[in-house]
Amino acid sequence: MVMWLDDPSMKHLNWRMLLLANTAPAILFWLLSSLYLKESPVFAAASGNLQEAHDTLHEMRRLNGKEDVNIDFERTSESSPQGRLSQLPAGRSVALCIVCFCYNLTIYGTFTAFPQLVPRLMHSETESAVLELAKGACLEIPGDLFGLLFALSLPRKWVLYLYFIGTATSSVLFASGTEQGLILGFYGNKLFPQMGSVSLFVLAAESFDTQIRATGTALALGVGRLGACLAPMVYEFTTNSFGTYQAFFHMSSILLILCLIFTAAFIPETAGKTWLRPTESTPLREDIKASHGTITDGSTTNDGNIWQPAC
């Protein structure tokens, strides 16, 4: 909307004004967060604010319509074992880092490329470049909805395979330079990454045992954000080195195919599975899942795993 008001052709944009306008949503969400966002119950309990942690869990239970779930917990006298990098499974961790890095590198690379390329390659004389970008942005919304649906109903890796193949194909089509290829490639690069993002980040969290989950997830997502930071420079470097925008999109398609291979070879499927194991002293409760929180109820298994409340 701001670009439309400034210059629909995107040829003489006031970038300082655009940056200032983009701070408005951040300020709004900061105000809403300060008013309504509650502290993590894990952090509150670890800081000694047990009542605050209990109140937050009670609100979470009410919002999820799970009034029958027990949210009582007690702090253990012994501290929970902390995950270290040396405890992470090497092959799986490296593969997840590569996949998260390439996901961010390719998607944020297109965020850099499309505002430069769409005005030059795609829009017609009767349609503004801003409108074309807006149509692509709107396509991300059904992509998110499909991604949520697929994450709830399909194995994580199947959804990722669809993302890898769909986005790689879209990148090749956009690099073809033909009118039809540009259109299909542009919209495909908007749709498929949104479909894969939910399953990718859920897979990253579920791929580690509860004791090392925070460490493993932080490592994978942190390396991914590094890819996002480098994406604009990588796009500019490949474009300047090869003299064409097509180099970046060909590189993206190759990286995504490599990610498909790494995912198939080194990352196990996690949908419907749990890393918590039952023992004779602590029977497995059917309502406990490995992805639910980290506040302990004070009981541990013989192998050191810490059981968690089902909320």
Side-chain angles (χ1 to χ4, degrees):
M1 180 64 69
V2 176
M3 285 192 295
W4 178 278
L5 294 174
D6 186 17
D7 179 17
S9 69
M10 295 182 59
K11 295 181 179 179
H12 305 286
L13 291 172
N14 185 340
W15 64 269
R16 289 183 175 86
M17 185 268 291
L18 292 176
L19 288 177
L20 288 174
N22 282 335
T23 63
I27 294 174
L28 174 62
F29 284 119
W30 169 64
L31 292 173
L32 292 175
S33 298
S34 63
L35 292 173
Y36 299 108
L37 186 64
K38 297 188 180 297
E39 183 55 79
S40 161
V42 177
F43 180 81
S47 303
N49 300 320
L50 301 185
Q51 186 59 47
E52 181 183 359
H54 189 276
D55 292 344
T56 302
L57 289 173
H58 177 77
E59 181 67 7
M60 292 167 63
R61 181 176 65 177
R62 184 188 67 80
L63 291 173
N64 284 281
K66 298 291 185 179
E67 298 293 341
D68 57 324
V69 172
N70 181 21
I71 60 172
D72 294 330
F73 66 92
E74 58 185 36
R75 298 179 68 192
T76 56
S77 57
E78 57 186 39
S79 60
S80 302
Q82 301 298 315
R84 297 183 178 88
L85 290 177
S86 59
Q87 296 176 282
L88 300 178
R92 186 187 313 161
S93 301
V94 171
L96 282 169
C97 287
I98 292 175
V99 173
C100 289
F101 180 89
C102 292
Y103 170 83
N104 283 272
L105 179 70
T106 53
I107 191 173
Y108 283 94
T110 61
F111 287 168
T112 303
F114 288 146
Q116 301 180 40
L117 298 176
V118 168
R120 177 161 58 93
L121 300 176
M122 290 184 60
H123 86 286
S124 63
E125 294 298 328
T126 59
E127 191 171 84
S128 73
V130 171
L131 182 59
E132 194 67 48
L133 282 177
K135 288 160 59 177
C138 289
L139 192 62
E140 296 178 12
I141 298 175
D144 284 324
L145 296 177
F146 278 119
L148 178 60
L149 177 63
F150 292 160
L152 292 172
S153 58
L154 296 175
R156 317 282 186 235
K157 293 172 65 171
W158 288 15
V159 182
L160 289 182
Y161 296 153
L162 174 63
Y163 152 64
F164 294 141
I165 295 173
T167 308
T169 303
S170 300
S171 296
V172 172
L173 287 172
F174 193 83
S176 68
T178 63
E179 181 179 357
Q180 199 68 21
L182 287 170
I183 295 174
L184 293 175
F186 173 66
Y187 290 130
N189 269 289
K190 290 294 185 179
L191 179 67
F192 286 107
Q194 303 303 118
M195 293 169 57
S197 61
V198 178
S199 292
L200 172 58
F201 295 126
V202 171
L203 177 67
E206 291 179 340
S207 291
F208 301 100
D209 185 67
T210 51
Q211 294 180 1
I212 57 175
R213 175 164 299 159
T215 302
T217 305
L219 175 65
L221 300 190
V223 172
R225 300 316 295 175
L226 180 62
C229 295
L230 294 175
M233 291 180 284
V234 172
Y235 172 74
E236 296 294 343
F237 175 78
T238 55
T239 301
N240 292 333
S241 298
F242 293 92
T244 175
Y245 73 91
Q246 297 166 317
F248 176 82
F249 288 91
H250 285 308
M251 180 198 72
S252 295
S253 63
I254 294 172
L255 290 177
L256 292 170
I257 296 302
L258 291 177
C259 286
L260 188 152
I261 297 172
F262 287 137
T263 301
F266 300 109
I267 305 177
E269 181 58 66
T270 62
K273 297 182 179 180
T274 177
W275 298 106
L276 294 178
R277 299 181 295 277
T279 66
E280 294 181 0
S281 61
T282 308
L284 177 64
R285 284 169 42 193
E286 293 181 353
D287 60 338
I288 292 182
K289 296 182 179 179
S291 59
H292 288 159
T294 53
I295 293 182
T296 68
D297 63 358
S299 58
T300 60
T301 64
N302 290 340
D303 58 6
N305 280 336
I306 295 178
W307 295 96
Q308 307 165 20
C311 62

